[in-house]
Amino acid sequence: MRNRSDLYSLMAKKEEAAKAAVLSEVRNLQAAHSRASELTEKLRDILNERQVSGPVTAAELRSNAHLNTKLAAEAANQSARTVELASALDATRKSLAAQSHKARFLNDAAQQARRAEEEEREKRMEASRITPRR
């Protein structure tokens, strides 16, 4: 049978492994979030640069309006994606914090169990010693 400290240590290692997977997910979400934010900014900059200045023909105006509409729609999509990724990133960070807390708790419990096992072992050793006669 395993000691309590061994069980707590194994549980802590399991949590650390799960935490590593969540940490990888956090990194991926951060990268996706930053890419979406950058793309949104680039699209908005392009839209601002494409503002009509001076006299233009009706055909140019229609062409610009069509392209500007597509750019604005894509900017809105990327902005919505940025918001979704931000909320997913927050939720993932919360779960990472919970797993960190659980792993720390299990490591502390394993240390306490080791100390208790060591004390018990010392008591048994002392009880098994033969007392010298006088």
Side-chain angles (χ1 to χ4, degrees):
M1 183 172 162
R2 291 194 171 236
N3 297 331
R4 262 181 124 179
S5 62
D6 292 340
L7 292 175
Y8 282 135
S9 294
L10 289 174
M11 290 169 64
K13 287 178 184 177
K14 181 180 175 186
E15 283 302 314
E16 290 292 334
K19 189 172 94 171
V22 172
L23 190 58
S24 173
E25 184 179 346
V26 166
R27 274 189 244 117
N28 292 339
L29 284 172
Q30 282 177 332
H33 181 264
S34 65
R35 281 191 306 269
S37 297
E38 290 171 7
L39 186 57
T40 301
E41 289 303 314
K42 283 181 184 178
L43 288 171
R44 287 185 179 157
D45 288 344
I46 291 171
L47 271 174
N48 289 335
E49 291 173 2
R50 292 188 52 81
Q51 296 299 319
V52 176
S53 60
V56 293
T57 63
E60 289 175 337
L61 191 59
R62 272 192 302 267
S63 174
N64 284 341
H66 182 68
L67 185 57
N68 287 348
T69 302
K70 285 186 176 184
L71 287 171
E74 184 60 30
N77 288 342
Q78 290 300 319
S79 181
R81 185 169 184 254
T82 301
V83 170
E84 290 172 7
L85 287 170
S87 65
L89 188 59
D90 287 341
T92 307
R93 283 181 177 156
K94 286 179 185 177
S95 72
L96 180 66
Q99 284 180 328
S100 292
H101 177 70
K102 188 174 180 180
R104 192 170 40 252
F105 175 79
L106 289 170
N107 279 326
D108 291 345
Q111 287 176 351
Q112 288 175 353
R114 274 189 217 101
R115 279 188 229 116
E117 289 166 1
E118 184 63 31
E119 288 173 6
E120 186 178 323
R121 204 173 303 122
E122 287 176 5
K123 285 180 185 177
R124 276 187 272 142
M125 291 286 288
E126 199 167 306
S128 67
R129 285 188 196 145
I130 300 173
T131 55
R133 293 186 183 171
R134 293 189 180 191

